[in-house]
Amino acid sequence: MRMTRQRREILAVLSRTRSHPSAEEVLRQVRTTLPRVSLGSVYRNLKTLREAGLVREIVTAEGRRYDAVTAPHPHFVCERCSRVFDLARPLPPRALRRALPQGFAVSQIHLELRGTCSECGSQP
Amino acid sequence: MRMTRQRREILAVLSRTRSHPSAEEVLRQVRTTLPRVSLGSVYRNLKTLREAGLVREIVTAEGRRYDAVTAPHPHFVCERCSRVFDLARPLPPRALRRALPQGFAVSQIHLELRGTCSECGSQP
DNA sequence: GTGAATGCAAAAGCTTTGCACTCGA
DNA sequence: TCGAGTGCAAAGCTTTTGCATTCAC
């Protein structure tokens, strides 16, 4: 994998935030440093970085978000402000495995909680 | 909510399968009975039925799927054949709640396991 | 030098929407 | 009857792709 300026910058943007930006938001951030980057390159690089295990894609009802923290951890999606929060990893996988039919092999666990974050909850 | 033939048939299709069809697949099924149904009506009805609590939308990396079983339960997505399977409800919510920051209110829990189903796993 | 990566623009999904017509209550 | 719902087609988004050019190695 060739480390182009675009690729490096996309990775840097994702590494320095915990806000789980969309591809469009990554583009905006990257353009503050490299103004001529195209949206196509952002998508291509997000895919390449994902395949290299450096970036994780989070699919929610609100769209696809990207995360440089690839260790498995659950997310909380606020249904009012659409922000995505990281949660600590709370899952005893034993309980899950017990629910699996014979012959099913798990490679990933996506756990997403939805609701209202503390900030939105304190507003009327 | 007016119970049109289209709406009734869409609900019937979803109720008689456990295969979590996409909107396109719902359309195909409904058209065996009502050949002139449009894709727009399928989407509009899925939305209406969802808002009425009669249908659940499942957002996965493979696209949106629909389910007439609205009781919360986790899913297993096979990464080879893309089929979606129902799992029994195994989650002790207490463990999850402990992971939540102060002030966050949970309205839904989406748990998705990914991997290889027994059928695909037994093939090379 | 050379092939992987880029920018640009077009294309390809998937989902929503505008509009005149239909039909369920 | 009459307004919610429909079919059709167009529009809207997001994501992917083709192609000539650029640039990291």
Side-chain angles (χ1 to χ4, degrees):
Chain A
M1 188 176 64
R2 189 185 288 185
M3 194 44 75
T4 61
R5 270 172 302 164
Q6 292 86 338
R7 192 162 290 165
R8 193 187 352 265
E9 196 53 38
I10 288 170
L11 203 47
V13 163
L14 285 177
S15 298
R16 87 167 75 98
T17 182
R18 298 273 62 244
S19 75
H20 310 85
S22 65
E24 200 72 59
E25 288 161 346
V26 171
L27 176 70
R28 216 164 358 205
Q29 280 294 316
V30 171
R31 278 191 171 164
T32 64
T33 309
L34 304 171
R36 312 196 56 74
V37 174
S38 69
L39 187 55
S41 289
V42 171
Y43 274 110
R44 266 183 301 231
N45 276 311
L46 288 171
K47 187 174 188 183
T48 305
L49 292 168
R50 187 153 31 98
E51 285 164 357
L54 297 173
V55 161
R56 182 180 169 192
E57 187 182 68
I58 305 158
V59 180
T60 77
E62 286 77 15
R64 299 178 191 218
R65 308 303 203 79
Y66 298 89
D67 192 344
V69 177
T70 55
H73 59 277
H75 292 106
F76 183 97
V77 179
C78 180
E79 293 175 323
R80 291 214 214 166
C81 64
S82 292
R83 277 186 295 175
V84 178
F85 299 85
D86 288 329
L87 300 181
R89 184 164 176 282
L91 269 194
R94 229 167 305 147
L96 290 177
R97 303 265 156 87
R98 269 202 293 273
L100 271 192
Q102 276 290 333
F104 281 55
V106 177
S107 71
Q108 290 177 71
I109 299 177
H110 289 182
L111 176 59
E112 177 190 317
L113 280 67
R114 301 178 61 84
T116 311
C117 72
S118 54
E119 210 171 299
C120 291
S122 65
Q123 289 160 15
Chain B
M1 189 176 66
R2 188 185 288 183
M3 195 44 76
T4 61
R5 270 172 302 163
Q6 292 85 338
R7 192 161 290 165
R8 193 186 354 265
E9 196 52 39
I10 288 170
L11 203 48
V13 163
L14 286 176
S15 298
R16 87 167 75 97
T17 181
R18 298 274 61 243
S19 74
H20 310 85
S22 65
E24 200 74 59
E25 288 161 346
V26 170
L27 176 70
R28 215 162 355 194
Q29 280 294 315
V30 170
R31 278 191 170 163
T32 63
T33 308
L34 303 171
R36 313 196 55 74
V37 174
S38 68
L39 187 54
S41 289
V42 170
Y43 274 110
R44 267 183 301 233
N45 277 312
L46 288 171
K47 187 175 190 183
T48 305
L49 292 167
R50 186 151 33 97
E51 285 163 358
L54 297 173
V55 160
R56 181 181 170 192
E57 187 182 69
I58 305 157
V59 179
T60 77
E62 286 76 16
R64 299 176 191 220
R65 308 302 203 80
Y66 298 90
D67 192 343
V69 177
T70 56
H73 59 275
H75 291 106
F76 183 97
V77 179
C78 180
E79 293 175 323
R80 292 215 213 166
C81 64
S82 293
R83 278 185 294 176
V84 178
F85 299 85
D86 288 329
L87 300 180
R89 183 164 175 281
L91 267 196
R94 229 168 306 149
L96 290 178
R97 303 265 156 88
R98 269 203 294 272
L100 270 192
Q102 276 290 332
F104 282 54
V106 177
S107 70
Q108 290 177 69
I109 298 177
H110 288 182
L111 177 58
E112 177 189 318
L113 279 68
R114 301 179 60 85
T116 310
C117 71
S118 54
E119 208 170 300
C120 290
S122 63
Q123 289 160 15

